[in-house]
Amino acid sequence: MTIQIHYRGQLAAAMGVDAEKIEIDHHSSMSAILQDLAKKAGPEFSNIVLDDEGVPRRTLLIAVDGEQVADYDSCLAPGANEITLIPPISGG
Amino acid sequence: MLSDTDRATYEWQLDVPGLGEDGQLKLGATTALVSRVGGLGGPLAMSLVAAGVGRIVLVHGGELQESDLNRQTLMSRDWLGRSRVECAAETIARFKPEIEVVAVNENFNDGNAAELVEMADIVFDCAPLFEERFLMNRECVKSGKPMIDSAMYSLQGQVMVIVPGKTPCLSCIYPEVPGHWRRRFPVIGAVSSMVAQVGALEGIKLICGIGEVSLGDLIMIDAGRMELEKVKLSPRDHDCDVCGELARR
Ligand SMILES: [Zn+2]
């Protein structure tokens, strides 16, 4: 299935775009989607999204169609339209 | 009852539906704490003062540097080297001499967190370090006080309203200090001011009981596309180290 993906904060610079359409297998877990993206984007993106073991960081917020997804082992709902990856940001 | 001066000062906002004299009195009875008072906290504090909070506690350590001046609008170039929090307090006092300002020339730390939050009815977190933000969050959850957390990056920002027992807390969404996070990040003052106004407004709405406060949402501001959207956060994390006990009750 084709899905729109948005990269917020530092992830946009790390990926080189702030949004794109990607092709994913609808049986893929969120972890697998992130690991595939990290492979494509390289170490800067990977370091924000995954920990040293390649597991999604607990400080990355993921939203699917405007709702946070906390279970990274879950698969996307069949009708899902967009994923937003939101790395932590701060004040100052 | 509002004084004649207050009625004259707030004449235009007393007409905001739902605010009225009751809302204005609630603002006047509120002590708001803002930490820190830089690009986000400065304009945020000024908007709270203009709206009529009765007392404001400003928390910020360190001296004004030249690289602060693209966004820290309570400051002035001829104050370089002076304590930032004292500069902010001076600007606020000039704007509204009758307000009580408490200026604390320190950042949040383990030793002062409980005492600082104790002084306030509502906390506005505009701090850059996750350690400071977690301390504010922990003390607010402990004392059942609301916290408005604001953050920014480049042309984007986000605001989260935390009401202990009702919404997820900061540690629910960030269970640890992010390993990759860097202290220095790109920012334009107009963006930090914009994010600050969203945070100030959520606080004012919460204090006055007007509008619809974004409880359980992450408000995301994208000034690049000039869009504002909300992400519905997952329910409170029962395993959260900070608010888990409240969530399990
Ligand atoms: Zn929590």
Side-chain angles (χ1 to χ4, degrees), chain B residues 2 6 21-32 52-55 119-122 207:
Chain B
L2 289 178
D6 281 350
E21 189 157 333
D22 273 2
Q24 198 61 54
L25 287 168
K26 284 179 191 161
L27 280 166
T30 296
T31 297
V53 296
R55 184 164 172 256
M119 295 165 83
D121 301 307
I122 182 168
I207 294 164

Side-chain angles (χ1 to χ4, degrees), chain B residues 83-94:
Chain B
S83 146
R84 289 191 191 97
V85 78
E86 281 165 22
C87 295
E90 195 171 317
T91 302
I92 286 172
R94 193 182 304 154

Side-chain angles (χ1 to χ4, degrees), chain A residues 6-10 12-13 18-19 44 47-49 57-63 66-70 82 84 86-92, chain B residues 38-40 126-128 130 133 150-153 156-158 173-176 178-181 185 218 220-222 225 230-234:
Chain A
H6 297 274
Y7 306 108
R8 306 270 311 183
Q10 309 97 298
D18 63 2
E44 195 189 341
N47 189 35
I48 299 169
V49 167
R57 287 189 189 273
R58 300 196 300 158
T59 49
L60 175 73
L61 284 179
I62 303 172
E67 279 197 34
Q68 186 189 356
V69 171
E82 59 176 30
T84 309
I86 312 159
I89 59 172
S90 219
Chain B
L40 270 177
C126 304
F130 279 85
R133 299 169 71 189
S150 303
M152 63 197 172
Y153 183 90
Q156 298 175 346
Q158 66 189 39
I173 66 162
Y174 302 137
E176 61 202 15
H180 58 84
W181 185 81
F185 49 82
L218 183 71
M220 300 202 303
I221 300 134
D222 184 346
R225 294 172 187 265
K230 291 184 191 179
V231 166
K232 184 101 225 125
L233 296 171
S234 299

Side-chain angles (χ1 to χ4, degrees), chain B residues 169 171-172 240 242-243:
Chain B
C169 79
S171 293
C172 288
C240 172
V242 176
C243 77

Side-chain angles (χ1 to χ4, degrees), chain B residues 5 45 47 144 154 166 177 183 224 238 244:
Chain B
T5 308
S47 288
S154 193
K166 278 193 183 162
V177 174
R183 168 72 181 84
H238 288 222

